[in-house]
């Protein structure tokens, strides 16, 4: 299945899943089952499905054919090149191609001068007035090409200004921009570009990230510390005739494979048509291509199965001319198959697991609530059936028994409220460790320490201390989570044993994900900023600015997600117990009122039994409907028995822990 077809299928799958989850939410609200916290959890699931994006980044040195590959993969239907593709540098700034409902076809350009501010590109995205926007005429290929060519615009500035804007200079031109005899260098006009383009794949959530060459990549740390690491797939493009050059290896080591991450990383060996010189036969050409694949595999330490020799230019031409033979020879289909078979299924699996976990948990709690109501009805039916033909003394005994149970439960509630108080204190401690106030304080202290530092050793210590503090806070948070989990487990068991409440063990929570993100961020930081060369050659204020524009901002994002997730978890673990306690209180009240009425008028006994039998049938009908709605979600997700078994195993392990 072609990439566009598979992506369309993925989009339909996501839409079907969202409809099924929406039906569960409506059903719970309509039948007044669950609570506000459960409704918020389902809304969160729906938001994730709605906003789900899939980012593919294209990375290479200049003149490797990135833009041509994007044209061949996505824009051949226009009958010409859409993105500029010619000899030399064509993409001079990171460029995102995307589309969301309500967008206007346009290209938005962020001036390079914005680097003078202590503001990230992500922050600038919230302020449209800082960008220069041009409407795209999608009906004219020529107008489209002209507008999109702006991502390659450059200007000449003095080397002092280039350095002030964050560009690395090298008079030999090996590791940075090379000034000319007048001390001037050519730099991009734009810092970042966003192209809102109404394309079928982009409409369905695909985001294409086109990156500039090595010198421009290194000048925008946010690209290397945030955009590339967070991309679902990175295509690293090489030229078939040169293989892995020194600058290619630098890009691979420092930006693509930082932290030795290989999942979602594919290498494209482009321009194999340079070997089609008419003097070599197909077998000889195939041997040379295979030899180059083996060499690249060895140089990059990557499996040969992840390296794809292609000709993007011939693939684009073949698609425009509908030449199937030329397209087969271009080998682009093999790369599309890899993207279809590896990228989308992996993304779909993540979405399936997270959605299934949430909906199954909420459906389970809803069924437990209904089962609790049904047990209460059954208990009343047994009691009232036993009262048939009994005298007033027996009815009075039954009333005393229910009152006694109510008093015992109310005594248990005192312990419950005491636990709630402790839970509140532990929650405050947890949020203090993960909170953004503490992070802001540490960020301020680190900035002050860096600016006050005289030597590079002090700079390094300040930055390293920042990471140590983050890890310490995450570790303290983990300890608080364990204490909260242990306390709630004990309370759940107490109410289950003493009052017969059927409660699953509360969901577990781990800070491991955030610890790994911080560790990965530190690895990238050590490779790009915390090097002897960077500390010696970069002015202190510039280095401080880069650190806080990239590392500190990315760390803040991690903690923002951690805050959101832990608050979500705290609501989720308390909600079932609170709901069951309220339900049990209501059942005791109903039982007592029922026995009172019968005590006052024994002729209402049979009427009450009939009423309870009707309630029992009504509750069973709701449980059957709930099972059907939950089953529809499983069907929409394509969940297998193995997926459900894995969820049950996680739940059992949490209970055992």
């Amino acid at each position: 299945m072609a990439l566009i077809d598979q992506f369309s299928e993925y989009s339909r799958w996501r839409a079907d899943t969202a409809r099924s989850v929406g039906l569960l939410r409506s059903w719970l609200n309509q039948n007044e089952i669950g609570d506000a916290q459960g409704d918020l959890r389902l809304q969160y699931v729906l938001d994730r499905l709605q906003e789900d994006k899939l980012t593919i980044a294209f990375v290479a040195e200049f003149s490797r054919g990135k833009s041509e590959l994007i044209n061949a993969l996505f824009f051949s239907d226009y009958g010409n090149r859409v993105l500029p593709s010619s000899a030399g540098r064509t993409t001079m700034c990171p460029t995102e191609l995307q589309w969301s409902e309500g967008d206007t076809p346009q290209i938005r350009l962020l001036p390079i001068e914005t680097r003078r501010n202590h503001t990230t590109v992500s922050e600038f995205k919230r302020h449209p007035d800082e960008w220069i926007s041009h409407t795209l005429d999608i009906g004219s290929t020529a107008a489209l090409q002209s507008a999109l060519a702006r991502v390659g615009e450059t200007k000449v500035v003095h080397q002092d200004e280039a350095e002030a804007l964050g560009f690395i200079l090298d008079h030999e031109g090996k590791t940075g921009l090379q000034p000319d005899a007048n001390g001037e260098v050519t730099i991009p006009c734009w810092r970042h570009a966003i192209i809102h383009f109404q394309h079928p794949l982009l409409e369905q959530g695909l985001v294409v990230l086109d990156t500039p060459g090595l010198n421009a990549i290194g000048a925008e740390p946010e690209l290397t510390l945030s955009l590339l690491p967070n991309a679902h797939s990175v295509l690293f493009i090489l030229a078939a005739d040169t293989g892995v050059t020194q600058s290619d290896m630098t890009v691979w080591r420092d930006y693509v494979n930082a932290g030795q991450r290989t999942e979602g990383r594919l290498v494209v060996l482009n321009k194999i048509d340079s070997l089609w010189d008419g003097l070599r036969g197909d077998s000889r050409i195939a041997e040379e291509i295979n030899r180059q694949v083996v060499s690249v595999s060895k140089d990059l330490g990557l499996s040969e199965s992840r390296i794809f020799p292609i000709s993007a230019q011939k693939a684009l031409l073949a698609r425009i001319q509908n030449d199937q033979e030329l397209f087969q020879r271009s080998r682009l289909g093999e790369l599309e198959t890899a993207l279809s078979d590896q990228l989308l299924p992996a993304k779909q699996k993540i979405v399936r697991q997270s959605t299934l976990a949430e909906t199954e948990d909420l459906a389970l709690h809803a069924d437990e609530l209904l089962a609790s109501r049904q047990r209460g009805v059954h208990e009343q039916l047994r009691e009232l059936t036993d009262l048939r033909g009994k005298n007033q003394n027996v009815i009075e005994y039954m009333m005393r028994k229910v009152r006694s149970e109510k008093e015992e439960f109310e005594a248990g509630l005192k312990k419950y409220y005491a636990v709630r108080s402790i839970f509140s204190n532990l929650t405050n401690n947890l949020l203090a460790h993960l909170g953004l106030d503490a992070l802001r304080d540490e960020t301020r202290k680190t900035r002050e320490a860096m600016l006050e530092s005289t030597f590079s050793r002090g700079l390094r210590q300040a930055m390293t201390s920042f990471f140590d503090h983050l890890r310490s806070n995450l570790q303290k948070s983990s300890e608080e989570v364990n204490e909260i989990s242990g306390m709630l487990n004990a309370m759940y068991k107490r109410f289950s044993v003493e009052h017969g409440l059927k409660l699953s063990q509360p969901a577990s929570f781990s800070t491991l994900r955030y610890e790994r993100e911080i560790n990965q961020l530190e690895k990238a930081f050590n490779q790009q900023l915390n090097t002897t060369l960077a500390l010696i050659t970069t002015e202190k204020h510039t280095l401080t600015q880069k650190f806080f524009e990239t590392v500190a901002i990315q760390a803040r994002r991690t903690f923002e997600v951690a805050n959101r997730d832990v608050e979500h978890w705290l609501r989720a673990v308390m909600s079932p117990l609170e709901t069951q306690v309220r339900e049990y209180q209501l059942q005791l009240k109903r039982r007592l009122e029922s026995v009172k009425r019968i005590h006052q008028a024994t002729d209402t006994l049979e009427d009450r039994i009939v009423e309870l039998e009707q309630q029992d049938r009504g509750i069973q009908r709701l449980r059957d409907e709930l099972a059907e709605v939950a089953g529809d979600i499983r069907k929409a997700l394509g969940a297998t028995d193995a997926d459900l078994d894995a969820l049950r195993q996680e739940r059992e392990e949490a209970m055992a822990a």
Side-chain angles (χ1 to χ4, degrees):
M1 185 184 291
L3 179 61
I4 189 168
D5 295 328
Q6 182 136 349
F7 207 101
S8 297
E9 186 65 31
Y10 172 74
S11 182
R12 284 192 294 271
W13 170 84
R14 201 178 58 198
D16 289 343
T17 298
R19 279 193 293 271
S20 298
V21 173
L23 285 175
L24 173 62
R25 186 184 182 204
S26 298
W27 187 90
L28 292 172
N29 289 332
Q30 179 182 344
N31 292 285
E32 298 181 350
I33 298 171
D35 50 35
Q37 302 305 335
D39 190 65
L40 284 174
R41 291 171 66 184
L42 286 176
Q43 182 59 54
Y44 178 54
V45 171
L46 290 170
D47 289 344
R48 282 188 304 185
L49 289 168
Q50 180 69 29
E51 299 168 4
D52 183 44
K53 297 288 185 182
L54 185 71
T55 301
I56 302 179
F58 293 75
V59 181
E61 265 290 45
F62 70 94
S63 296
R64 300 297 192 264
K66 293 190 309 296
S67 299
E68 190 78 323
L69 177 56
I70 295 172
N71 284 324
L73 282 171
F74 306 119
F75 302 125
S76 60
D77 289 346
Y78 283 83
N80 207 327
R81 295 183 175 94
V82 172
L83 289 183
S85 177
S86 58
R89 300 176 184 268
T90 55
T91 303
M92 293 300 296
C93 66
T95 303
E96 294 180 65
L97 286 84
Q98 57 182 256
W99 182 266
S100 298
E101 187 175 353
D103 280 350
T104 300
Q106 63 177 327
I107 178 171
R108 298 168 58 207
L109 301 162
L110 185 65
I112 194 68
E113 288 77 14
T114 58
R115 281 192 180 157
R116 294 183 183 277
N117 301 328
H118 297 278
T119 309
T120 63
V121 173
S122 298
E123 183 63 26
F124 274 120
K125 287 179 180 179
R126 303 177 185 177
H127 303 282
D129 55 318
E130 299 286 347
W131 300 68
I132 295 175
S133 300
H134 298 278
T135 301
L136 293 178
D137 181 5
I138 59 176
S140 167
T141 302
L144 201 57
Q145 290 173 328
S146 176
L148 299 189
R150 300 208 61 184
V151 300
E153 291 178 340
T154 60
K155 61 182 177 181
V156 177
V157 300
H158 192 271
Q159 61 184 12
D160 292 340
E161 183 177 355
E163 282 188 308
L165 292 173
F167 290 98
I168 298 173
L169 302 184
D170 178 13
H171 289 277
E172 296 183 1
K174 294 180 180 179
T175 60
L177 301 178
Q178 184 177 22
D180 61 17
N182 298 321
E184 295 181 327
V185 292
T186 301
I187 65 170
C189 284
W190 314 109
R191 180 180 180 185
H192 200 89
I194 300 176
I195 300 171
H196 296 283
F197 190 81
Q198 197 166 7
H199 181 277
L201 283 174
L202 304 183
E203 285 180 316
Q204 294 164 23
L206 178 68
V207 175
V208 175
L209 175 62
D210 189 12
T211 63
L214 172 61
N215 292 335
I217 285 181
E220 192 62 70
E222 186 177 1
L223 175 66
T224 57
L225 291 173
S226 177
L227 292 176
L228 288 181
N230 291 328
H232 298 97
S233 182
V234 175
L235 271 60
F236 181 52
I237 299 98
L238 303 170
D241 54 348
T242 61
V244 184
T245 66
Q246 183 177 351
S247 60
D248 287 325
M249 181 58 76
T250 301
V251 173
W252 170 261
R253 183 184 61 246
D254 293 347
Y255 305 122
V256 178
N257 199 38
Q260 289 72 54
R261 174 184 173 183
T262 59
E263 66 273 13
R265 271 52 182 157
L266 303 177
V267 173
V268 177
L269 200 56
N270 195 19
K271 303 185 179 181
I272 60 172
D273 55 293
S274 64
L275 303 175
W276 305 349
D277 57 6
L279 300 177
R280 286 170 284 197
D282 289 346
S283 60
R284 174 80 181 277
I285 292 172
E287 287 176 7
E288 291 195 23
I289 291 174
N290 186 62
R291 186 163 53 248
Q292 194 70 296
V293 168
V294 172
S295 175
V296 169
S297 172
K298 182 179 178 181
D299 289 342
L300 300 183
L302 195 68
S303 168
E304 293 177 22
S305 63
R306 290 179 175 267
I307 301 171
F308 297 87
I310 69 162
S311 170
Q313 191 270 333
K314 298 304 181 188
L316 177 61
L317 178 63
R319 280 189 157 157
I320 292 173
Q321 297 180 345
N322 197 25
D323 187 337
Q324 289 301 317
E325 183 178 348
L326 181 60
F327 184 77
Q328 290 294 327
R329 200 176 183 199
S330 76
R331 298 197 187 187
L332 184 68
E334 297 173 19
L335 175 61
E336 288 185 317
T337 299
L339 287 171
S340 299
D341 293 347
Q342 297 178 28
L343 177 60
L344 283 171
K347 173 67 172 173
Q348 189 171 13
K349 181 180 179 182
I350 294 171
V351 176
R352 178 188 295 114
Q353 288 175 337
S354 61
T355 304
L356 186 64
E358 286 288 353
T359 55
E360 284 291 301
D361 188 53
L362 285 166
L364 175 63
H365 288 317
D367 187 65
E368 286 175 345
L369 179 63
L370 290 171
S372 175
R373 290 182 185 177
Q374 198 167 31
R375 284 192 300 272
V377 170
H378 289 168
E379 180 69 21
Q380 289 188 66
L381 273 171
R382 281 194 299 272
E383 291 173 349
L384 298 185
T385 302
D386 290 343
L387 291 179
R388 281 173 170 157
K390 302 295 183 182
N391 57 31
Q392 288 289 338
N393 290 334
V394 174
I395 297 174
E396 289 175 0
Y397 166 76
M398 187 64 66
M399 193 160 59
R400 288 196 299 270
K401 179 187 174 189
V402 177
R403 280 180 176 153
S404 175
E405 289 181 22
K406 185 171 179 291
E407 289 171 358
E408 288 178 6
F409 184 72
E410 288 173 348
L413 281 180
K414 293 180 180 178
K415 297 176 183 177
Y416 164 74
Y417 291 131
V419 168
R420 280 294 306 267
S421 177
I422 298 172
F423 174 81
S424 179
N425 291 334
L426 292 174
T427 296
N428 291 336
N429 293 340
L430 172 59
L431 295 177
H433 296 316
L434 279 181
L436 298 181
D437 288 341
L439 181 61
R440 275 192 291 268
D441 288 342
E442 183 60 26
T443 302
R444 176 183 52 77
K445 292 176 184 176
T446 304
R447 183 188 292 275
E448 291 173 355
M450 291 179 70
L451 293 176
E452 292 172 0
S453 177
T454 306
F455 302 103
S456 59
R457 180 180 178 183
L459 284 170
R460 175 170 285 166
Q461 286 178 342
M463 293 185 289
T464 302
S465 176
F466 179 77
F467 285 104
D468 291 341
H469 178 82
L470 299 189
R471 271 191 292 269
S472 174
N473 273 9
L474 286 171
Q475 182 58 41
K476 291 175 183 176
S477 300
S478 181
E479 293 169 1
E480 297 287 351
V481 165
N482 291 336
E483 189 168 352
I484 290 172
S485 297
M487 182 188 68
L488 288 178
N489 277 332
M491 179 54 66
Y492 272 50
K493 288 177 181 177
R494 173 187 292 275
F495 272 80
S496 296
V497 172
E498 294 183 359
H499 305 291
L501 273 61
K502 297 297 182 182
L503 290 162
S504 301
Q505 290 300 306
S508 58
F509 184 82
S510 173
T511 60
L512 183 59
R513 167 193 167 186
Y514 319 111
E515 292 173 19
R516 285 176 176 170
E517 288 184 6
I518 293 299
N519 290 338
Q520 185 178 355
L521 179 62
E522 186 175 27
K523 281 184 180 179
F525 153 73
N526 285 332
Q527 290 176 338
Q528 298 173 42
L529 294 180
N530 191 23
T531 65
T532 302
L533 179 63
L535 290 170
I536 292 176
T537 60
T538 308
E539 196 269 332
K540 179 174 66 174
H541 286 272
T542 302
L543 184 64
T544 302
Q545 178 179 339
K546 281 189 174 184
F547 181 84
F548 288 99
E549 282 183 352
T550 55
V551 175
I553 289 293
Q554 191 64 21
R556 179 185 174 86
R557 288 179 187 149
T558 296
F559 271 71
E560 284 175 346
V561 172
N563 268 267
R564 183 198 65 200
D565 290 348
V566 78
E567 288 175 359
H568 177 70
W569 172 73
L570 289 168
R571 290 194 297 265
V573 293
M574 281 303 295
S575 180
L577 181 57
E578 291 173 338
T579 302
Q580 288 271 15
V581 165
R582 287 196 302 269
E583 183 68 22
Y584 192 71
Q585 282 181 305
L586 186 59
Q587 288 177 17
L588 284 173
K589 182 180 179 181
R590 286 171 180 165
R591 284 175 61 196
L592 187 57
E593 289 175 350
S594 178
V595 177
K596 279 181 179 179
R597 287 202 304 269
I598 294 165
H599 180 262
Q600 295 166 358
T602 54
D603 56 346
T604 63
L605 177 59
E606 293 301 327
D607 292 340
R608 182 58 180 157
I609 289 175
V610 171
E611 182 184 333
L612 289 171
E613 288 173 344
Q614 290 174 345
Q615 287 183 20
D616 181 37
R617 288 192 293 271
I619 293 172
Q620 186 58 52
R621 185 184 69 255
L622 289 176
R623 294 186 71 181
D624 293 340
E625 289 178 2
L626 175 61
E628 185 177 347
V629 173
D632 288 343
I633 293 176
R634 297 186 201 110
K635 184 177 179 181
L637 285 169
T640 63
D641 291 340
D643 294 324
L644 295 171
D645 289 341
L647 273 179
R648 294 188 191 100
Q649 185 176 352
E650 287 180 11
R651 201 173 285 127
E652 289 170 0
E653 288 174 355
M655 291 175 66

